[in-house]
Amino acid sequence: MNERLRTAMLRHGVALEDLAETCGVEPKTVERWINTGRVPHRRHRWAAAKLLTADETYLWPDVLESSQARRGRANRSELVEVFPDRASVPRELWLRFLTDAQERVDVLVFSGTFYAQTQPKIARSLAEAAQRGVAIRLCFGDPTAQSVETRDREEGLGGTLAAKIRSSLTYYRALPELDGCEVRLHSTTLYASLFRYDDDVLVNPHVYGEPASANPTFHFRRLDGGTMAEHYMSSFERVWAGAVPWSGAEI
């Protein structure tokens, strides 16, 4: 028996017939909800919860359990591939993602030197994507930021990271002048480099003392009900919001 539903109806003075009318079902159907613990269809749960001023997951706890199970399956399904290191990501995949992008391309890195090295004429490719309506957002580390100096020291780069960022930026000087292209510099502690192409995102986490290229890379594809891809996409938005626009002139 669904004691929570029965008690909520008693407390609110809602009879079987009242709840049946609200939900658009027969009174015997409501009776089965109470006596057998049967879980109604979603629209009926919502209508009943609204009438009884209760959360549907309180009235039917099984809904929460099943939704968590679905979310778990969706999250696992969002993981498309795991690469042991960034260099293992096929060059063809980078090129295909950029060529196939229809809505947006977001990049979050410190220097991202490899990004230009693995994709010849990267600036032209990004410009062409912008011309077909793709929103381009590139976010690099600010070479003067403390976070860049710290990362340089942690990875034992000998003071070269700032120079690598400046060198990388030279590829993208013309992009800020184009409609649909934005480039910004961030000062955050970067825990993962992110590369988003519409609903696909490549996540390259940073491990203390190791260069980003030596760390694994995860390919997620956003699905309804999943949270993994969105989790990293939201991270990009937070960094982007605090980053400073770069005009392409100063390096």
Side-chain angles (χ1 to χ4, degrees), residues 30-95:
V30 176
E31 196 172 325
R32 284 193 290 270
W33 297 347
I34 299 172
N35 294 333
T36 68
R38 179 177 297 181
V39 178
H41 291 297
R42 182 171 55 184
R43 67 178 184 277
H44 297 151
R45 295 197 307 268
W46 288 354
K50 182 177 180 181
L51 178 64
L52 300 173
T53 62
D55 191 283
E56 66 163 321
T57 57
Y58 171 78
L59 297 174
W60 293 282
D62 289 347
V63 172
L64 182 60
E65 294 176 5
S66 62
S67 64
Q68 289 175 336
R70 288 195 299 272
R71 188 179 301 114
R73 288 193 296 271
N75 285 335
R76 289 190 293 273
S77 296
E78 282 191 323
L79 180 59
V80 178
E81 183 63 90
V82 178
F83 301 97
D85 50 64
R86 194 184 62 202
S88 297
V89 180
R91 177 172 173 270
E92 292 73 18
L93 186 63
W94 295 106
L95 297 174

Short mmCIF file of all heavy atoms in Angstrom, two decimals, residues 30-95:
data_model
loop_
_atom_site.label_atom_id
_atom_site.label_comp_id
_atom_site.label_asym_id
_atom_site.label_seq_id
_atom_site.Cartn_x
_atom_site.Cartn_y
_atom_site.Cartn_z
N VAL A 30 -7.16 5.11 -9.26
CA VAL A 30 -6.56 5.73 -8.08
C VAL A 30 -6.51 4.73 -6.93
O VAL A 30 -5.54 4.68 -6.17
CB VAL A 30 -7.35 6.99 -7.67
CG1 VAL A 30 -6.79 7.58 -6.38
CG2 VAL A 30 -7.33 8.02 -8.79
N GLU A 31 -7.54 3.92 -6.83
CA GLU A 31 -7.58 2.92 -5.78
C GLU A 31 -6.41 1.94 -5.91
O GLU A 31 -5.81 1.53 -4.91
CB GLU A 31 -8.91 2.16 -5.86
CG GLU A 31 -9.26 1.36 -4.62
CD GLU A 31 -10.67 0.80 -4.70
OE1 GLU A 31 -11.55 1.47 -5.25
OE2 GLU A 31 -10.86 -0.32 -4.19
N ARG A 32 -6.08 1.59 -7.16
CA ARG A 32 -4.94 0.70 -7.38
C ARG A 32 -3.62 1.39 -7.02
O ARG A 32 -2.69 0.74 -6.54
CB ARG A 32 -4.92 0.21 -8.84
CG ARG A 32 -5.97 -0.86 -9.14
CD ARG A 32 -5.72 -1.53 -10.47
NE ARG A 32 -5.98 -0.61 -11.58
CZ ARG A 32 -7.16 -0.48 -12.18
NH1 ARG A 32 -8.19 -1.21 -11.77
NH2 ARG A 32 -7.33 0.37 -13.18
N TRP A 33 -3.53 2.72 -7.30
CA TRP A 33 -2.33 3.45 -6.91
C TRP A 33 -2.11 3.34 -5.41
O TRP A 33 -0.97 3.22 -4.96
CB TRP A 33 -2.45 4.93 -7.29
CG TRP A 33 -2.55 5.22 -8.74
CD1 TRP A 33 -2.31 4.36 -9.77
CD2 TRP A 33 -2.93 6.46 -9.33
NE1 TRP A 33 -2.51 4.98 -10.97
CE2 TRP A 33 -2.89 6.27 -10.74
CE3 TRP A 33 -3.29 7.70 -8.84
CZ2 TRP A 33 -3.19 7.30 -11.64
CZ3 TRP A 33 -3.60 8.74 -9.72
CH2 TRP A 33 -3.56 8.54 -11.12
N ILE A 34 -3.18 3.39 -4.66
CA ILE A 34 -3.08 3.34 -3.19
C ILE A 34 -2.86 1.93 -2.69
O ILE A 34 -1.95 1.65 -1.90
CB ILE A 34 -4.34 3.95 -2.55
CG1 ILE A 34 -4.50 5.42 -2.95
CG2 ILE A 34 -4.29 3.81 -1.04
CD1 ILE A 34 -5.82 6.02 -2.52
N ASN A 35 -3.67 1.01 -3.15
CA ASN A 35 -3.70 -0.34 -2.56
C ASN A 35 -2.60 -1.26 -3.07
O ASN A 35 -2.21 -2.20 -2.36
CB ASN A 35 -5.06 -0.99 -2.81
CG ASN A 35 -6.17 -0.27 -2.06
OD1 ASN A 35 -5.93 0.34 -1.03
ND2 ASN A 35 -7.38 -0.33 -2.59
N THR A 36 -2.13 -1.03 -4.28
CA THR A 36 -1.11 -1.94 -4.84
C THR A 36 0.24 -1.27 -5.01
O THR A 36 1.22 -1.94 -5.37
CB THR A 36 -1.56 -2.48 -6.21
OG1 THR A 36 -1.58 -1.40 -7.17
CG2 THR A 36 -2.95 -3.09 -6.12
N GLY A 37 0.29 0.05 -4.77
CA GLY A 37 1.56 0.75 -4.93
C GLY A 37 1.96 0.96 -6.36
O GLY A 37 3.13 1.27 -6.66
N ARG A 38 1.01 0.82 -7.28
CA ARG A 38 1.32 1.01 -8.70
C ARG A 38 1.74 2.47 -8.95
O ARG A 38 1.12 3.41 -8.42
CB ARG A 38 0.12 0.66 -9.56
CG ARG A 38 0.37 0.85 -11.06
CD ARG A 38 -0.82 0.42 -11.88
NE ARG A 38 -1.10 -1.01 -11.72
CZ ARG A 38 -2.10 -1.64 -12.35
NH1 ARG A 38 -2.91 -0.96 -13.15
NH2 ARG A 38 -2.28 -2.93 -12.16
N VAL A 39 2.75 2.66 -9.75
CA VAL A 39 3.23 4.01 -10.08
C VAL A 39 2.52 4.52 -11.32
O VAL A 39 2.57 3.88 -12.38
CB VAL A 39 4.76 4.01 -10.31
CG1 VAL A 39 5.24 5.41 -10.69
CG2 VAL A 39 5.48 3.51 -9.07
N PRO A 40 1.83 5.67 -11.23
CA PRO A 40 1.09 6.21 -12.38
C PRO A 40 2.01 6.72 -13.48
O PRO A 40 3.22 6.86 -13.28
CB PRO A 40 0.28 7.37 -11.77
CG PRO A 40 0.41 7.23 -10.30
CD PRO A 40 1.68 6.50 -10.04
N HIS A 41 1.40 7.05 -14.61
CA HIS A 41 2.14 7.72 -15.67
C HIS A 41 2.60 9.08 -15.19
O HIS A 41 2.03 9.65 -14.25
CB HIS A 41 1.28 7.88 -16.92
CG HIS A 41 0.97 6.57 -17.60
ND1 HIS A 41 1.94 5.77 -18.13
CD2 HIS A 41 -0.22 5.94 -17.82
CE1 HIS A 41 1.38 4.69 -18.66
NE2 HIS A 41 0.07 4.76 -18.48
N ARG A 42 3.60 9.63 -15.85
CA ARG A 42 4.21 10.87 -15.39
C ARG A 42 3.21 12.03 -15.31
O ARG A 42 3.18 12.75 -14.33
CB ARG A 42 5.36 11.27 -16.34
CG ARG A 42 6.09 12.54 -15.93
CD ARG A 42 7.34 12.74 -16.76
NE ARG A 42 7.05 12.73 -18.18
CZ ARG A 42 7.96 12.81 -19.15
NH1 ARG A 42 9.24 12.86 -18.80
NH2 ARG A 42 7.62 12.80 -20.41
N ARG A 43 2.36 12.17 -16.33
CA ARG A 43 1.41 13.30 -16.31
C ARG A 43 0.42 13.17 -15.16
O ARG A 43 -0.01 14.17 -14.58
CB ARG A 43 0.68 13.41 -17.65
CG ARG A 43 -0.27 12.28 -17.99
CD ARG A 43 -0.97 12.55 -19.32
NE ARG A 43 -1.95 11.54 -19.65
CZ ARG A 43 -1.67 10.38 -20.22
NH1 ARG A 43 -0.40 10.09 -20.53
NH2 ARG A 43 -2.63 9.51 -20.49
N HIS A 44 0.08 11.93 -14.80
CA HIS A 44 -0.83 11.70 -13.67
C HIS A 44 -0.11 11.99 -12.34
O HIS A 44 -0.72 12.54 -11.42
CB HIS A 44 -1.36 10.26 -13.68
CG HIS A 44 -2.19 9.96 -14.89
ND1 HIS A 44 -2.27 8.68 -15.42
CD2 HIS A 44 -2.96 10.76 -15.68
CE1 HIS A 44 -3.07 8.71 -16.48
NE2 HIS A 44 -3.49 9.96 -16.66
N ARG A 45 1.16 11.62 -12.27
CA ARG A 45 1.93 11.91 -11.04
C ARG A 45 2.03 13.41 -10.82
O ARG A 45 1.87 13.90 -9.70
CB ARG A 45 3.33 11.31 -11.14
CG ARG A 45 3.37 9.79 -11.19
CD ARG A 45 4.77 9.28 -10.86
NE ARG A 45 5.81 9.88 -11.69
CZ ARG A 45 6.27 9.38 -12.82
NH1 ARG A 45 5.74 8.24 -13.30
NH2 ARG A 45 7.24 9.97 -13.49
N TRP A 46 2.30 14.13 -11.89
CA TRP A 46 2.44 15.58 -11.77
C TRP A 46 1.13 16.22 -11.33
O TRP A 46 1.12 17.12 -10.48
CB TRP A 46 2.90 16.17 -13.09
CG TRP A 46 4.33 15.86 -13.42
CD1 TRP A 46 5.25 15.21 -12.63
CD2 TRP A 46 5.01 16.15 -14.64
NE1 TRP A 46 6.46 15.09 -13.26
CE2 TRP A 46 6.35 15.66 -14.51
CE3 TRP A 46 4.66 16.77 -15.83
CZ2 TRP A 46 7.30 15.78 -15.52
CZ3 TRP A 46 5.61 16.90 -16.84
CH2 TRP A 46 6.91 16.41 -16.68
N ALA A 47 0.03 15.77 -11.92
CA ALA A 47 -1.28 16.34 -11.57
C ALA A 47 -1.61 16.05 -10.11
O ALA A 47 -2.10 16.92 -9.38
CB ALA A 47 -2.36 15.78 -12.49
N ALA A 48 -1.34 14.82 -9.67
CA ALA A 48 -1.62 14.44 -8.29
C ALA A 48 -0.74 15.21 -7.32
O ALA A 48 -1.21 15.70 -6.28
CB ALA A 48 -1.42 12.94 -8.11
N ALA A 49 0.53 15.33 -7.66
CA ALA A 49 1.46 16.05 -6.78
C ALA A 49 1.07 17.51 -6.64
O ALA A 49 1.16 18.09 -5.55
CB ALA A 49 2.89 15.92 -7.32
N LYS A 50 0.61 18.11 -7.73
CA LYS A 50 0.18 19.51 -7.68
C LYS A 50 -1.05 19.68 -6.79
O LYS A 50 -1.14 20.60 -5.96
CB LYS A 50 -0.11 20.02 -9.09
CG LYS A 50 -0.51 21.48 -9.14
CD LYS A 50 -0.72 21.94 -10.57
CE LYS A 50 -1.13 23.41 -10.63
NZ LYS A 50 -1.36 23.86 -12.03
N LEU A 51 -2.01 18.77 -6.94
CA LEU A 51 -3.24 18.85 -6.14
C LEU A 51 -2.94 18.65 -4.66
O LEU A 51 -3.52 19.32 -3.79
CB LEU A 51 -4.24 17.80 -6.62
CG LEU A 51 -5.58 17.73 -5.84
CD1 LEU A 51 -6.36 19.03 -6.02
CD2 LEU A 51 -6.40 16.53 -6.31
N LEU A 52 -2.01 17.75 -4.36
CA LEU A 52 -1.70 17.42 -2.98
C LEU A 52 -0.54 18.24 -2.41
O LEU A 52 -0.10 17.98 -1.28
CB LEU A 52 -1.38 15.92 -2.87
CG LEU A 52 -2.50 14.97 -3.30
CD1 LEU A 52 -2.01 13.53 -3.33
CD2 LEU A 52 -3.71 15.11 -2.37
N THR A 53 -0.05 19.19 -3.21
CA THR A 53 1.09 20.05 -2.81
C THR A 53 2.23 19.23 -2.24
O THR A 53 2.74 19.49 -1.14
CB THR A 53 0.65 21.13 -1.80
OG1 THR A 53 0.17 20.51 -0.60
CG2 THR A 53 -0.42 22.03 -2.38
N ALA A 54 2.62 18.20 -2.98
CA ALA A 54 3.70 17.32 -2.56
C ALA A 54 4.61 17.05 -3.75
O ALA A 54 4.22 17.22 -4.91
CB ALA A 54 3.15 16.01 -2.00
N ASP A 55 5.83 16.66 -3.47
CA ASP A 55 6.75 16.29 -4.53
C ASP A 55 6.41 14.88 -5.01
O ASP A 55 6.14 13.99 -4.20
CB ASP A 55 8.19 16.33 -4.02
CG ASP A 55 9.21 16.22 -5.15
OD1 ASP A 55 9.41 15.09 -5.64
OD2 ASP A 55 9.78 17.25 -5.53
N GLU A 56 6.47 14.66 -6.30
CA GLU A 56 6.10 13.34 -6.83
C GLU A 56 7.03 12.26 -6.31
O GLU A 56 6.62 11.11 -6.12
CB GLU A 56 6.11 13.34 -8.36
CG GLU A 56 7.47 13.54 -9.00
CD GLU A 56 7.49 13.12 -10.46
OE1 GLU A 56 6.86 12.11 -10.81
OE2 GLU A 56 8.15 13.82 -11.26
N THR A 57 8.32 12.61 -6.05
CA THR A 57 9.25 11.60 -5.55
C THR A 57 8.99 11.26 -4.09
O THR A 57 9.47 10.22 -3.60
CB THR A 57 10.71 12.07 -5.70
OG1 THR A 57 10.89 13.32 -5.01
CG2 THR A 57 11.05 12.26 -7.17
N TYR A 58 8.25 12.11 -3.38
CA TYR A 58 7.82 11.76 -2.02
C TYR A 58 6.65 10.79 -2.08
O TYR A 58 6.60 9.80 -1.35
CB TYR A 58 7.42 13.01 -1.24
CG TYR A 58 6.76 12.68 0.09
CD1 TYR A 58 7.53 12.31 1.19
CD2 TYR A 58 5.37 12.72 0.23
CE1 TYR A 58 6.92 11.98 2.40
CE2 TYR A 58 4.77 12.40 1.43
CZ TYR A 58 5.54 12.03 2.51
OH TYR A 58 4.94 11.70 3.70
N LEU A 59 5.70 11.08 -2.98
CA LEU A 59 4.53 10.22 -3.10
C LEU A 59 4.89 8.88 -3.72
O LEU A 59 4.29 7.85 -3.37
CB LEU A 59 3.46 10.92 -3.95
CG LEU A 59 2.90 12.23 -3.39
CD1 LEU A 59 1.96 12.88 -4.40
CD2 LEU A 59 2.17 11.98 -2.07
N TRP A 60 5.85 8.88 -4.66
CA TRP A 60 6.26 7.64 -5.32
C TRP A 60 7.80 7.57 -5.33
O TRP A 60 8.45 7.94 -6.33
CB TRP A 60 5.72 7.59 -6.75
CG TRP A 60 4.23 7.48 -6.80
CD1 TRP A 60 3.48 6.36 -6.60
CD2 TRP A 60 3.28 8.53 -7.05
NE1 TRP A 60 2.15 6.64 -6.72
CE2 TRP A 60 1.98 7.96 -6.99
CE3 TRP A 60 3.39 9.89 -7.33
CZ2 TRP A 60 0.83 8.71 -7.20
CZ3 TRP A 60 2.25 10.64 -7.52
CH2 TRP A 60 0.98 10.06 -7.46
N PRO A 61 8.42 7.11 -4.26
CA PRO A 61 9.89 7.05 -4.17
C PRO A 61 10.55 6.25 -5.29
O PRO A 61 11.70 6.52 -5.64
CB PRO A 61 10.13 6.39 -2.80
CG PRO A 61 8.88 6.67 -2.03
CD PRO A 61 7.76 6.64 -3.03
N ASP A 62 9.83 5.28 -5.83
CA ASP A 62 10.40 4.47 -6.91
C ASP A 62 10.76 5.31 -8.12
O ASP A 62 11.65 4.93 -8.91
CB ASP A 62 9.44 3.36 -7.33
CG ASP A 62 9.32 2.27 -6.27
OD1 ASP A 62 10.16 2.26 -5.35
OD2 ASP A 62 8.38 1.46 -6.34
N VAL A 63 10.07 6.44 -8.28
CA VAL A 63 10.35 7.32 -9.42
C VAL A 63 11.77 7.85 -9.32
O VAL A 63 12.51 7.91 -10.31
CB VAL A 63 9.35 8.50 -9.46
CG1 VAL A 63 9.77 9.52 -10.50
CG2 VAL A 63 7.95 7.98 -9.74
N LEU A 64 12.18 8.24 -8.11
CA LEU A 64 13.54 8.76 -7.91
C LEU A 64 14.57 7.69 -8.20
O LEU A 64 15.57 7.94 -8.86
CB LEU A 64 13.69 9.27 -6.47
CG LEU A 64 15.05 9.88 -6.11
CD1 LEU A 64 15.36 11.07 -7.00
CD2 LEU A 64 15.09 10.27 -4.65
N GLU A 65 14.32 6.48 -7.73
CA GLU A 65 15.27 5.40 -7.95
C GLU A 65 15.41 5.08 -9.44
O GLU A 65 16.51 4.90 -9.94
CB GLU A 65 14.83 4.16 -7.18
CG GLU A 65 14.86 4.33 -5.67
CD GLU A 65 14.34 3.12 -4.93
OE1 GLU A 65 14.05 2.12 -5.61
OE2 GLU A 65 14.22 3.17 -3.70
N SER A 66 14.27 5.05 -10.13
CA SER A 66 14.34 4.73 -11.56
C SER A 66 14.99 5.85 -12.34
O SER A 66 15.73 5.61 -13.30
CB SER A 66 12.93 4.44 -12.10
OG SER A 66 12.09 5.57 -11.97
N SER A 67 14.73 7.13 -11.94
CA SER A 67 15.34 8.25 -12.65
C SER A 67 16.85 8.27 -12.42
O SER A 67 17.62 8.60 -13.33
CB SER A 67 14.73 9.57 -12.19
OG SER A 67 15.00 9.83 -10.83
N GLN A 68 17.30 7.90 -11.22
CA GLN A 68 18.73 7.82 -10.95
C GLN A 68 19.37 6.72 -11.78
O GLN A 68 20.49 6.88 -12.29
CB GLN A 68 18.97 7.57 -9.46
CG GLN A 68 18.64 8.77 -8.57
CD GLN A 68 18.76 8.46 -7.10
OE1 GLN A 68 18.65 7.30 -6.70
NE2 GLN A 68 19.00 9.47 -6.29
N ALA A 69 18.67 5.62 -11.93
CA ALA A 69 19.20 4.53 -12.75
C ALA A 69 19.31 4.95 -14.20
O ALA A 69 20.31 4.68 -14.87
CB ALA A 69 18.29 3.30 -12.63
N ARG A 70 18.27 5.67 -14.68
CA ARG A 70 18.33 6.16 -16.07
C ARG A 70 19.46 7.15 -16.25
O ARG A 70 20.16 7.14 -17.26
CB ARG A 70 16.99 6.80 -16.45
CG ARG A 70 15.84 5.82 -16.65
CD ARG A 70 14.68 6.50 -17.37
NE ARG A 70 14.14 7.61 -16.60
CZ ARG A 70 13.19 7.50 -15.69
NH1 ARG A 70 12.68 6.31 -15.41
NH2 ARG A 70 12.74 8.56 -15.04
N ARG A 71 19.63 8.03 -15.24
CA ARG A 71 20.71 9.01 -15.32
C ARG A 71 22.06 8.31 -15.33
O ARG A 71 22.97 8.71 -16.05
CB ARG A 71 20.61 9.98 -14.15
CG ARG A 71 21.57 11.16 -14.25
CD ARG A 71 21.42 12.11 -13.08
NE ARG A 71 20.05 12.62 -12.99
CZ ARG A 71 19.22 12.36 -12.00
NH1 ARG A 71 19.61 11.59 -11.00
NH2 ARG A 71 18.01 12.87 -11.98
N GLY A 72 22.19 7.26 -14.53
CA GLY A 72 23.44 6.53 -14.50
C GLY A 72 23.75 5.89 -15.84
O GLY A 72 24.88 5.93 -16.32
N ARG A 73 22.73 5.31 -16.46
CA ARG A 73 22.92 4.69 -17.78
C ARG A 73 23.27 5.76 -18.81
O ARG A 73 24.13 5.55 -19.67
CB ARG A 73 21.66 3.94 -18.19
CG ARG A 73 21.43 2.64 -17.42
CD ARG A 73 20.36 1.79 -18.08
NE ARG A 73 19.06 2.44 -18.08
CZ ARG A 73 18.17 2.33 -17.10
NH1 ARG A 73 18.46 1.59 -16.03
NH2 ARG A 73 16.99 2.92 -17.17
N ALA A 74 22.61 6.93 -18.74
CA ALA A 74 22.88 8.00 -19.69
C ALA A 74 24.30 8.52 -19.52
O ALA A 74 25.00 8.77 -20.50
CB ALA A 74 21.87 9.15 -19.51
N ASN A 75 24.74 8.66 -18.26
CA ASN A 75 26.10 9.15 -18.03
C ASN A 75 27.13 8.18 -18.59
O ASN A 75 28.12 8.60 -19.21
CB ASN A 75 26.33 9.35 -16.53
CG ASN A 75 25.65 10.59 -16.00
OD1 ASN A 75 25.40 11.54 -16.75
ND2 ASN A 75 25.32 10.60 -14.71
N ARG A 76 26.91 6.89 -18.38
CA ARG A 76 27.85 5.91 -18.92
C ARG A 76 27.83 5.92 -20.44
O ARG A 76 28.87 5.73 -21.08
CB ARG A 76 27.52 4.52 -18.38
CG ARG A 76 27.85 4.34 -16.90
CD ARG A 76 27.74 2.89 -16.47
NE ARG A 76 26.36 2.41 -16.52
CZ ARG A 76 25.49 2.54 -15.53
NH1 ARG A 76 25.86 3.15 -14.41
NH2 ARG A 76 24.25 2.07 -15.63
N SER A 77 26.67 6.16 -21.01
CA SER A 77 26.55 6.17 -22.47
C SER A 77 27.19 7.41 -23.08
O SER A 77 27.56 7.41 -24.25
CB SER A 77 25.07 6.11 -22.87
OG SER A 77 24.48 4.89 -22.46
N GLU A 78 27.32 8.48 -22.27
CA GLU A 78 27.94 9.70 -22.80
C GLU A 78 29.43 9.52 -23.05
O GLU A 78 30.01 10.23 -23.86
CB GLU A 78 27.73 10.86 -21.81
CG GLU A 78 26.34 11.47 -21.88
CD GLU A 78 26.26 12.77 -21.10
OE1 GLU A 78 26.89 12.88 -20.03
OE2 GLU A 78 25.56 13.69 -21.56
N LEU A 79 30.06 8.59 -22.35
CA LEU A 79 31.48 8.35 -22.55
C LEU A 79 31.68 7.51 -23.82
O LEU A 79 31.35 6.33 -23.85
CB LEU A 79 32.08 7.63 -21.34
CG LEU A 79 33.58 7.32 -21.42
CD1 LEU A 79 34.39 8.60 -21.61
CD2 LEU A 79 34.04 6.56 -20.18
N VAL A 80 32.20 8.15 -24.84
CA VAL A 80 32.36 7.49 -26.14
C VAL A 80 33.68 6.73 -26.22
O VAL A 80 33.74 5.61 -26.71
CB VAL A 80 32.28 8.53 -27.28
CG1 VAL A 80 32.49 7.87 -28.64
CG2 VAL A 80 30.94 9.25 -27.24
N GLU A 81 34.75 7.37 -25.73
CA GLU A 81 36.08 6.77 -25.87
C GLU A 81 37.02 7.33 -24.81
O GLU A 81 36.85 8.46 -24.36
CB GLU A 81 36.65 7.08 -27.27
CG GLU A 81 38.00 6.46 -27.59
CD GLU A 81 37.94 4.95 -27.61
OE1 GLU A 81 37.69 4.36 -28.67
OE2 GLU A 81 38.18 4.37 -26.52
N VAL A 82 37.98 6.52 -24.42
CA VAL A 82 39.04 6.96 -23.51
C VAL A 82 40.37 6.75 -24.22
O VAL A 82 40.68 5.63 -24.65
CB VAL A 82 39.03 6.17 -22.18
CG1 VAL A 82 40.18 6.64 -21.29
CG2 VAL A 82 37.70 6.34 -21.46
N PHE A 83 41.16 7.82 -24.34
CA PHE A 83 42.49 7.73 -24.95
C PHE A 83 43.54 7.80 -23.85
O PHE A 83 43.46 8.64 -22.95
CB PHE A 83 42.68 8.88 -25.95
CG PHE A 83 41.66 8.90 -27.05
CD1 PHE A 83 40.54 9.72 -26.96
CD2 PHE A 83 41.81 8.11 -28.17
CE1 PHE A 83 39.59 9.75 -27.97
CE2 PHE A 83 40.87 8.13 -29.20
CZ PHE A 83 39.75 8.95 -29.09
N PRO A 84 44.54 6.92 -23.87
CA PRO A 84 45.54 6.88 -22.78
C PRO A 84 46.33 8.16 -22.63
O PRO A 84 46.83 8.48 -21.54
CB PRO A 84 46.43 5.70 -23.17
CG PRO A 84 46.24 5.54 -24.64
CD PRO A 84 44.83 5.93 -24.92
N ASP A 85 46.48 8.92 -23.71
CA ASP A 85 47.14 10.22 -23.66
C ASP A 85 46.60 11.05 -24.81
O ASP A 85 45.95 10.53 -25.73
CB ASP A 85 48.67 10.09 -23.74
CG ASP A 85 49.10 9.23 -24.92
OD1 ASP A 85 48.85 9.62 -26.07
OD2 ASP A 85 49.67 8.14 -24.68
N ARG A 86 46.85 12.34 -24.76
CA ARG A 86 46.26 13.23 -25.78
C ARG A 86 46.80 12.94 -27.17
O ARG A 86 46.09 13.09 -28.17
CB ARG A 86 46.54 14.69 -25.40
CG ARG A 86 45.69 15.69 -26.17
CD ARG A 86 46.07 17.10 -25.81
NE ARG A 86 47.47 17.37 -26.16
CZ ARG A 86 48.21 18.33 -25.61
NH1 ARG A 86 47.70 19.07 -24.65
NH2 ARG A 86 49.46 18.53 -25.99
N ALA A 87 48.05 12.51 -27.23
CA ALA A 87 48.63 12.21 -28.54
C ALA A 87 47.94 11.04 -29.22
O ALA A 87 48.05 10.87 -30.45
CB ALA A 87 50.13 11.92 -28.38
N SER A 88 47.21 10.23 -28.44
CA SER A 88 46.52 9.08 -29.02
C SER A 88 45.20 9.46 -29.70
O SER A 88 44.60 8.63 -30.38
CB SER A 88 46.23 8.04 -27.93
OG SER A 88 47.43 7.54 -27.39
N VAL A 89 44.74 10.68 -29.50
CA VAL A 89 43.53 11.13 -30.19
C VAL A 89 43.86 11.27 -31.66
O VAL A 89 44.76 12.04 -32.03
CB VAL A 89 43.03 12.48 -29.63
CG1 VAL A 89 41.77 12.92 -30.37
CG2 VAL A 89 42.77 12.39 -28.14
N PRO A 90 43.20 10.55 -32.54
CA PRO A 90 43.55 10.60 -33.96
C PRO A 90 43.42 12.01 -34.54
O PRO A 90 42.46 12.73 -34.23
CB PRO A 90 42.52 9.66 -34.61
CG PRO A 90 42.06 8.77 -33.50
CD PRO A 90 42.10 9.62 -32.26
N ARG A 91 44.38 12.38 -35.34
CA ARG A 91 44.34 13.68 -36.01
C ARG A 91 43.07 13.82 -36.83
O ARG A 91 42.47 14.89 -36.92
CB ARG A 91 45.57 13.85 -36.90
CG ARG A 91 45.60 15.15 -37.70
CD ARG A 91 46.95 15.30 -38.39
NE ARG A 91 46.95 16.44 -39.30
CZ ARG A 91 46.61 16.37 -40.58
NH1 ARG A 91 46.24 15.20 -41.09
NH2 ARG A 91 46.62 17.44 -41.34
N GLU A 92 42.63 12.72 -37.42
CA GLU A 92 41.42 12.75 -38.24
C GLU A 92 40.19 13.13 -37.41
O GLU A 92 39.25 13.75 -37.93
CB GLU A 92 41.19 11.38 -38.90
CG GLU A 92 42.22 11.00 -39.96
CD GLU A 92 43.57 10.61 -39.35
OE1 GLU A 92 43.61 10.32 -38.12
OE2 GLU A 92 44.57 10.62 -40.09
N LEU A 93 40.20 12.77 -36.13
CA LEU A 93 39.07 13.10 -35.27
C LEU A 93 39.00 14.60 -35.04
O LEU A 93 37.93 15.20 -35.11
CB LEU A 93 39.19 12.35 -33.94
CG LEU A 93 37.98 12.49 -32.99
CD1 LEU A 93 36.73 11.88 -33.61
CD2 LEU A 93 38.29 11.82 -31.65
N TRP A 94 40.15 15.22 -34.76
CA TRP A 94 40.17 16.67 -34.59
C TRP A 94 39.65 17.37 -35.84
O TRP A 94 38.83 18.30 -35.76
CB TRP A 94 41.60 17.16 -34.31
CG TRP A 94 42.20 16.70 -33.02
CD1 TRP A 94 43.16 15.75 -32.87
CD2 TRP A 94 41.89 17.18 -31.70
NE1 TRP A 94 43.49 15.59 -31.54
CE2 TRP A 94 42.72 16.46 -30.80
CE3 TRP A 94 41.00 18.12 -31.21
CZ2 TRP A 94 42.70 16.67 -29.43
CZ3 TRP A 94 40.97 18.34 -29.84
CH2 TRP A 94 41.81 17.62 -28.96
N LEU A 95 40.12 16.93 -37.00
CA LEU A 95 39.72 17.55 -38.26
C LEU A 95 38.24 17.35 -38.53
O LEU A 95 37.53 18.27 -38.97
CB LEU A 95 40.55 16.98 -39.41
CG LEU A 95 42.06 17.24 -39.35
CD1 LEU A 95 42.77 16.49 -40.47
CD2 LEU A 95 42.36 18.73 -39.44
#
